[in-house]
Amino acid sequence: MRLLVLSLTAFFLALPGVAHAANFTKTDGAVTMDDGVAITYTLYEPTTPKPAAGFPAIMMFHGLGGTRQDMNALAENSFANEGYAVLTFDARGHGTSGGLFSLDGPREIADFKALFAWLTARPEIDGKDVGAWGISLGGGAVWRSIVDGIPFAAGEVVETWTDLISALAPQGLAKTGLIFGFLQAVPTDRTSPDVLAIKGPALESDLNSDVTSFALQRSSRQALSTVKTPMFLFQGRRDYAFDIDQAWQGYKLLQGPKRLYIGDFGHPPSTFPGPDISVVLGEGGDWFARFLKDEPNGIDKGKPVQLAPSPWKEAGAVSYPSLPPTKRLAITLPGSNTIAASGSVVRAVKTPKGLIETFGSPTVTATLSSRTAFPHLVAVLSARLPDGSDYVLGEGGVPLKLSKTPKPVTIRLAFWADTLPAGSKVRLTLAATSTAESPGNLVYFSSVPDGSTLTVGKIVLTVPLLAKPISG
């Protein structure tokens, strides 16, 4: 996740004309929390005359392992030059702030409330028109802050979660590689004991009451049906960490003005910023202008769900009243294979000729049996593109309880939007780990015990396709 924010900073530094004259002042400082911890900040304020009610403001929340410098790079090329006061800050346990990181837990929420109160108490700030912008960990913080009562006038969240368990342990099997990587993003000596306590169980897919309680306290979906705050959700087409469903399930529950943009960016295997960063910032700026400055710019009118093509092209996005219509492609893969703990089943998938554009969660229903044990199974749908490169179309996994009697088991893959050019060779890999598809695919890396065996019979693969492709 740290690589994402580094690329964001590098992106803006590389832009031509970045060194133009600024329309803001910039002040660094610290606010002391009620437990004595200092949270360091940067405050941008416009150099233009103050409106009668004060300047509208935006609080910006960085990603895991990041700092306010990452948000400063974005602010100085967007909101800080658009008439807003902008507050960026190093979250607890990050950058030059003190304290211990606890992953958007109650202690961080108390920090955010204190920073909001500090900002809105300033006489030059319009306390009724403060927005929130957050990416990844910061997006989760924005959601949770709103649920816990911070009265933001509008919000924007980018590539984040609404339900942490379903994001990182869908169907009960942990994305061990991602969880391990996330937990390494903040040094152990800056991490709170409650985070360290759930590390072992989370990596073992032991979703006990402590783990589920921890995740629920840092999720927002269970309370979003009460949220009327105008919200703009930006989610990536392909994202190992937080798929489209994380945004969609939250979007459906919101009761106020809302908009969803599905773009060509995200955590790996995508990148942030993506080629459509100008759209993300432009439409995000319009959203804040509409709800923080009361500018009738039309961003809240028309069809609210927008899907960008991949590869991205200017003015290529298509808008829908809800998720775009799809059709389902069902493919039967016959045969039988028995594998050991380190083995894999690979079956070629015959797809229609021409360009293919998926949208949704593919499912893999396999007939399975075991005379020993095979405690979990991972499915990876991938392709070899005409240029020889490999491309993951989605993956998922489930815990197993099998006997010698065959039974069908369904694995739901990630909700992605993929574009495959004509001539791509598609394959399905079933194994204990995602590394069986590729050594570099570390999303699911927990092995099964030596001596485990699994028999895989008929497989039915169902793939949702856009009824009308928009890419290519």
Side-chain angles (χ1 to χ4, degrees):
M1 194 177 296
R2 176 61 178 155
L3 292 176
L4 291 172
V5 290
L6 279 176
S7 63
L8 176 65
T9 304
F11 173 83
F12 285 115
L13 289 176
L15 282 177
V18 158
H20 58 69
N23 296 316
F24 52 78
T25 61
K26 179 179 178 181
T27 305
D28 294 315
V31 179
T32 301
M33 301 293 105
D34 59 6
D35 64 349
V37 166
I39 300 298
T40 53
Y41 69 82
T42 298
L43 178 63
Y44 297 90
E45 294 190 298
T47 55
T48 54
K50 181 177 74 71
F55 294 113
I58 298 170
M59 288 178 60
M60 299 189 71
F61 297 70
H62 64 71
L64 179 62
T67 70
R68 71 183 190 275
Q69 302 304 326
D70 308 317
M71 296 298 92
N72 290 353
L74 190 153
E76 291 174 16
N77 288 274
S78 58
F79 307 133
N81 275 299
E82 296 170 4
Y84 299 99
V86 179
L87 178 67
T88 68
F89 57 93
D90 293 337
R92 181 173 290 249
H94 288 71
T96 55
S97 287
L100 299 177
F101 160 72
S102 64
L103 209 164
D104 293 343
R107 181 58 259 181
E108 278 99 339
I109 300 303
D111 294 344
F112 307 151
K113 289 181 177 179
L115 288 168
F116 181 90
W118 175 85
L119 177 65
T120 56
R122 298 178 69 90
E124 73 274 19
I125 302 300
D126 177 0
K128 294 182 179 179
D129 287 311
V130 178
W133 189 100
I135 184 169
S136 195
L137 175 77
V142 170
W143 278 131
R144 192 68 217 191
S145 295
I146 291 171
V147 163
D148 284 344
I150 299 181
F152 289 116
E156 299 181 19
V157 291
V158 184
E159 57 186 64
T160 193
W161 75 88
T162 53
D163 180 80
L164 203 51
I165 285 286
S166 65
L168 297 182
Q171 291 189 273
L173 187 67
K175 297 177 181 178
T176 44
L178 288 176
I179 293 172
F180 182 81
F182 287 170
L183 291 173
Q184 300 306 303
V186 178
T188 300
D189 63 358
R190 303 203 72 187
T191 302
S192 70
D194 55 343
V195 174
L196 298 176
I198 59 95
K199 179 178 179 179
L203 290 174
E204 296 171 2
S205 293
D206 178 11
L207 305 183
N208 59 41
S209 59
D210 290 339
V211 172
T212 55
S213 176
F214 178 94
L216 185 65
Q217 200 169 43
R218 290 150 176 85
S219 300
S220 57
R221 190 180 301 174
Q222 67 274 13
L224 290 184
S225 61
T226 66
V227 171
K228 297 181 180 180
T229 307
M231 295 296 301
F232 201 145
L233 289 65
F234 295 89
Q235 206 77 355
R237 288 176 61 112
R238 306 174 68 237
D239 191 320
Y240 281 138
F242 308 126
D243 68 0
I244 296 169
D245 198 54
Q246 286 298 313
W248 175 242
Q249 294 303 323
Y251 174 92
K252 290 191 300 182
L253 294 170
L254 293 170
Q255 298 301 303
K258 54 188 177 180
R259 188 168 179 82
L260 170 62
Y261 176 88
I262 302 168
D264 203 5
F265 57 85
H267 297 87
S270 301
T271 60
F272 189 89
D276 51 354
I277 183 64
S278 60
V279 175
V280 172
L281 294 181
E283 295 205 0
D286 287 345
W287 190 257
F288 281 142
R290 171 64 186 86
F291 292 104
L292 302 184
K293 296 180 179 179
D294 199 26
E295 294 181 2
N297 53 24
I299 189 66
D300 55 330
K301 307 297 182 183
K303 299 174 182 177
V305 177
Q306 195 171 17
L307 176 63
S310 180
W312 183 76
K313 56 186 177 183
E314 191 76 36
V318 178
S319 296
Y320 305 88
S322 184
L323 289 185
T326 59
K327 57 185 179 181
R328 297 210 164 250
L329 174 67
I331 303 166
T332 299
L333 306 174
S336 181
N337 305 82
T338 299
I339 59 173
S342 60
S344 63
V345 173
V346 181
R347 295 192 185 170
V349 178
K350 187 175 182 180
T351 58
K353 294 182 179 180
L355 179 140
I356 296 174
E357 188 158 15
T358 73
F359 188 87
S361 300
T363 59
V364 176
T365 300
T367 301
L368 307 176
S369 62
S370 178
R371 293 182 176 274
T372 56
F374 208 94
H376 64 260
L377 183 64
V378 172
V380 182
L381 188 64
S382 61
R384 177 65 56 86
L385 303 186
D387 64 4
S389 62
D390 289 323
Y391 186 90
V392 175
L393 289 157
E395 55 193 281
V398 291
L400 297 176
K401 290 184 179 180
L402 299 173
S403 68
K404 63 182 180 180
T405 302
K407 73 172 186 177
V409 174
T410 297
I411 302 175
R412 186 180 66 253
L413 308 190
F415 187 146
W416 283 5
D418 282 297
T419 304
L420 282 184
S424 300
K425 307 290 186 182
V426 179
R427 62 188 181 274
L428 177 67
T429 303
L430 299 180
T433 69
S434 55
T435 57
E437 180 269 331
S438 168
N441 186 343
L442 300 174
V443 175
Y444 294 94
F445 68 49
S446 294
S447 60
V448 297
D450 291 340
S452 299
T453 61
L454 178 70
T455 299
V456 181
K458 184 181 76 171
I459 300 170
V460 177
L461 170 66
T462 304
V463 182
L465 305 176
L466 278 181
K468 186 177 180 180
I470 67 169
S471 300

